[in-house]
Amino acid sequence: MKEFWARYKHAWILCYGFIYLPWFLYLERTVTKNYHIIHTWLDDLIPFNEYFIVPYLLWFPYVGGVIMYFFFNNKQDYYRMCALLFTGMTISLVICTFFRNGTDMRPAVDPGKNVFTWLVSRLHAADTSTNIFPSVHVFNSIVVHIAVARSSCFKSRPWLVRMSFFLALSICLSTVYLKQHSVADGLGSIVMCYALYPIVYGESYGAGWRRITRKALS
């Protein structure tokens, strides 16, 4: 056990979960009325599509899997990604604490239509329509892809970087096609990433994202 702890003592940063989860669950229980409805005209142009539940749920293994990969394989990438993830997630909680917000766009879903609508109905039962701005789903997807694209671990496997890019993009799109989030929530996440990225990675968000995008599409 001592040997394991000496080798993996960087696990301490994952204790952030003991801060985030209780805080988030508290907001889920208490932000139930008198909150600001976030809605834009762009939201009305985007149709509901239950098939996007697939990339939406893939967010969980995507984020968790990349964290664990870097945990065991690249401590520097692990620290940088966690620093950006957890800072943004904390800012999101602070915003939702003082700016109570939610959405009213969720459609009525027939769980008997197909397996995808059933999954959407389960999502609606487990997750409220509040505490949505900025979108943690969008923010974390962007951050995880940035970490993957920047890492030397994947230099010889560019196809993995491309897969990460398209998965992150589909997850971001899923938030609006499932009506879980407004377009404004995603834009808020992009702005937050734009502001925090230079602090962690030491270069402008624009320069870093252009390089990362070229790498993903090349």
Side-chain angles (χ1 to χ4, degrees):
M1 196 66 184
K2 286 183 179 179
E3 183 180 348
F4 179 87
W5 177 247
R7 186 174 181 181
Y8 298 114
K9 58 186 177 182
H10 50 290
W12 69 269
I13 199 171
L14 298 179
C15 292
Y16 173 75
F18 294 108
I19 298 173
Y20 180 83
L21 285 175
W23 193 348
F24 175 75
L25 292 174
Y26 169 78
L27 291 174
E28 289 285 277
R29 290 195 308 270
T30 57
V31 181
T32 57
K33 57 184 180 179
N34 300 323
Y35 52 82
H36 182 79
I37 298 295
I38 296 179
H39 192 105
T40 73
W41 63 272
L42 285 173
D43 298 318
D44 298 327
L45 301 179
I46 301 171
F48 171 79
N49 188 314
E50 69 266 23
Y51 299 111
F52 273 95
I53 190 64
V54 176
Y56 189 88
L57 294 178
L58 284 175
W59 176 84
F60 295 95
Y62 178 54
V63 175
V66 174
I67 288 175
M68 294 314 298
Y69 178 84
F70 286 139
F71 176 84
F72 289 108
N73 293 282
N74 192 311
K75 192 185 298 186
Q76 183 180 33
D77 287 340
Y78 163 81
Y79 271 126
R80 282 184 167 179
M81 184 176 70
C82 286
L84 191 50
L85 281 175
F86 299 161
T87 301
M89 291 164 70
T90 302
I91 291 172
S92 178
L93 289 174
V94 171
I95 291 173
C96 291
T97 299
F98 294 100
F99 174 62
R100 296 156 65 95
N101 60 81
T103 182
D104 59 356
M105 297 183 295
R106 284 184 176 182
V109 175
D110 176 11
K113 179 183 176 183
N114 54 48
V115 66
F116 304 103
T117 54
W118 180 82
L119 287 170
V120 173
S121 71
R122 293 299 86 207
L123 173 64
H124 288 178
D127 188 18
T128 71
S129 59
T130 58
N131 309 307
I132 61 170
F133 180 88
S135 169
V136 171
H137 243 68
V138 171
F139 178 80
N140 285 8
S141 298
I142 294 172
V143 171
V144 169
H145 175 65
I146 286 172
V148 168
R150 287 184 56 96
S151 177
S152 59
C153 295
F154 303 105
K155 278 188 175 180
S156 61
R157 289 172 285 182
W159 59 274
L160 278 176
V161 178
R162 287 193 289 271
M163 284 182 62
S164 172
F165 175 80
F166 288 110
L167 178 56
L169 178 61
S170 65
I171 292 171
C172 293
L173 290 174
S174 75
T175 64
V176 292
Y177 275 98
L178 290 177
K179 302 301 179 179
Q180 285 290 107
H181 287 277
S182 165
V183 171
D185 304 330
L187 292 176
S189 298
I190 293 171
V191 170
M192 186 164 64
C193 197
Y194 184 92
L196 295 175
Y197 176 85
I199 299 172
V200 176
Y201 286 101
E203 66 176 356
S204 72
Y205 180 84
W209 189 250
R210 284 193 297 272
R211 179 163 51 81
I212 289 166
T213 304
R214 283 197 300 269
K215 186 185 295 187
L217 298 177
S218 61

